[in-house]
Structures are given as structure tokens and as C-alpha cells.
Amino acid sequence: DLAGAEPTPLAGCEKFVTKFPLPVLNSFLRSFEFVGKIATHTETEVMEEYLKARWSEAEPPVGPLPVGDSAVAQMRLLCMAQTNAVSVLRAFEKLPDEDREVLSLEMSRTGVLGQSYSADLAPSEAREKLQGPAFLVYYGPAFLQNLGNDSPGKRLVVLAEIYRCARVLWPACVAKASTSVTIRVDVIKTLSTAAILDAVCIHDNWMLVKHNESEAFVERGSKKKLNKMIATGQQFQVLDLSRVAVVV
């Protein structure tokens, strides 16, 4: 990020020092002490300890450490949402069961062979029969941080639908338990859910398009583009955003 997100190393350093919100900078610096633990602990153990620390130190406080099938998802959402964490977590609790369960399961997959989160923090499906690939939603944090006046619940429903479509493109299997796939949401990261739905109103579609075996992109497309992808055998899933409008 120091040089990659900005055109020069100097501009990257300036961004790091002067443009990071203080809570984000503090959480970044806080993570350094956990990285060294990878020498004596598994990747998942280090991640779990870090998630618990972030939850316990959250400002404003968000209550006792979560337990149950959605615990890992909640702790990850807190880290992703940053200063919007409280409103995002409240919205998560009010999600329709099907969306909350998708987020709880997919965000609890580790993508590391033989590793899973503790039994009291993740669904049994993510622990007892390890399957993959796991999904990394690239720019998922930005999607939750650029909340503005938008409904956090609506954004979580969109996120759940992206995970759902990704799983159709990459069915879970034991052979892929140690793999991960990057899901790029660049195109919607700064859009409001109203803007996302506006595209549907003019008969465009939002799709998750598989570009290769390790990467897919959320894309907007007309029916003409849709037909062309069907004709060429391009693998994709149309996002079903019908529930977004009814979520508060």
C-alpha cells in the first residue's frame, strides 16, 4: 500500500502518515506483534488470537467475545468495517437466516489444509469436513467502510449474495481445502446500494464472472453482454439482489 496504491513511494508514505484514520493506523500497528507468533503457532491460531484481541479492544466496546457459529464472521466483520463496526454488527444480527448463515460459513473457512477455527467459534461444516476453496473478497472492507448514509444491512445482503454466487462457481470439495480464490468487488466498493439497484432498474445485471481458476470479478453488464458470455461459454452467476430492497 505504501507504494502500490500511490504513484510513488513518497506519496505512499505520506498517505500512511497523514491520511490513515487514527483507529485504522492503530489497528495496523497493533497487528505487528501477532505476526511473529507464526513461528510457533499455526496460521489459523494466530488469526483467531488476533481477531479476539481486536474484538476485546474495540472502541466503542462491542460487548463480550462472541461464541457460536457466527463468531468468526462477526469478528472479521468488525475488522473489515473499522469505524462502522457497531452498525454493521447490529445489522448482521438482523439479517435473514439464509444470509447470516452464508456469511458465517464462508467467512469461517481457512483455506489451510488441516486447520480450522475453534469449535465454539465456527459452524461444524467449516470444521468437521474441511472443504474449499476459501474466498477472499478483495475490497470487501472498503465496501463496508464506504457506508455513508447507506444501510449496513443492505450491504451485508449484497456481500452474502456474492459469497453465494462464488460458491456456485467453485463448489466446495475436500480436494480444494488448501486453496483460496480472490473475489474482486472493485466496481461496487464505493457505490451505494441505491446506485447498485438503479442498474437493475434499467435492465442491466450485476454478475460474478469467473476469469480463471483463482479469480472472479463482480461486473455490470447488459443483456447483450450476458448473451455473449453464454455464447462463448464464460462462467458467471447473476447476482440476485431482490432481497436488498426489502432489508432495512
Side-chain angles (χ1 to χ4, degrees), residues 11-12 24-25 65 72 98 113 117 124-125 142 246:
V24 178
L25 178 59
L65 282 171
V72 169
E98 59 183 309
L113 189 63
Y117 290 101
S124 59
E125 189 176 345
V246 300

Side-chain angles (χ1 to χ4, degrees), residues 11-179:
C13 291
E14 289 175 342
K15 178 178 180 179
F16 181 66
V17 173
T18 65
K19 297 181 182 179
F20 267 37
L22 186 57
V24 178
L25 178 59
N26 286 339
S27 65
F28 180 64
L29 297 175
R30 178 77 171 88
S31 69
F32 289 177
E33 69 179 79
F34 290 88
V35 176
K37 297 181 181 182
I38 201 66
T40 55
H41 296 73
T42 67
E43 296 92 333
T44 305
E45 287 172 342
V46 173
M47 180 66 165
E48 183 175 317
E49 185 177 350
Y50 175 70
L51 290 174
K52 289 178 177 178
R54 286 291 304 277
W55 184 280
S56 299
E57 298 169 4
E59 289 293 341
V62 289
L65 282 171
V67 294
D69 288 356
S70 65
V72 169
Q74 290 184 69
M75 290 188 287
R76 288 187 62 188
L77 287 171
L78 176 139
C79 294
M80 291 168 65
Q82 297 286 359
T83 55
N84 294 325
V86 172
S87 60
V88 167
L89 291 171
R90 286 175 180 165
F92 178 81
E93 292 297 328
K94 298 176 182 178
L95 284 177
D97 290 346
E98 59 183 309
D99 294 317
R100 189 169 59 252
E101 289 168 5
V102 166
L103 292 173
S104 297
L105 174 59
E106 298 300 348
M107 297 182 80
S108 295
R109 297 191 191 276
T110 65
V112 184
L113 189 63
Q115 295 184 27
S116 63
Y117 290 101
S118 297
D120 60 340
L121 301 178
S124 59
E125 189 176 345
R127 296 182 287 101
E128 295 174 0
K129 187 178 181 181
L130 299 182
Q131 296 179 314
F135 298 126
L136 168 65
V137 181
Y138 202 87
Y139 286 123
F143 184 60
L144 296 180
Q145 290 165 27
N146 293 320
L147 195 56
N149 295 321
D150 214 347
S151 159
K154 293 180 185 294
R155 292 205 169 220
L156 288 175
V157 169
V158 173
L159 188 60
E161 179 62 12
I162 291 170
Y163 273 115
R164 191 179 288 112
C165 288
R167 186 53 67 199
V168 175
L169 292 173
W170 281 274
C173 67
V174 174
K176 294 183 179 179
S178 62
T179 64

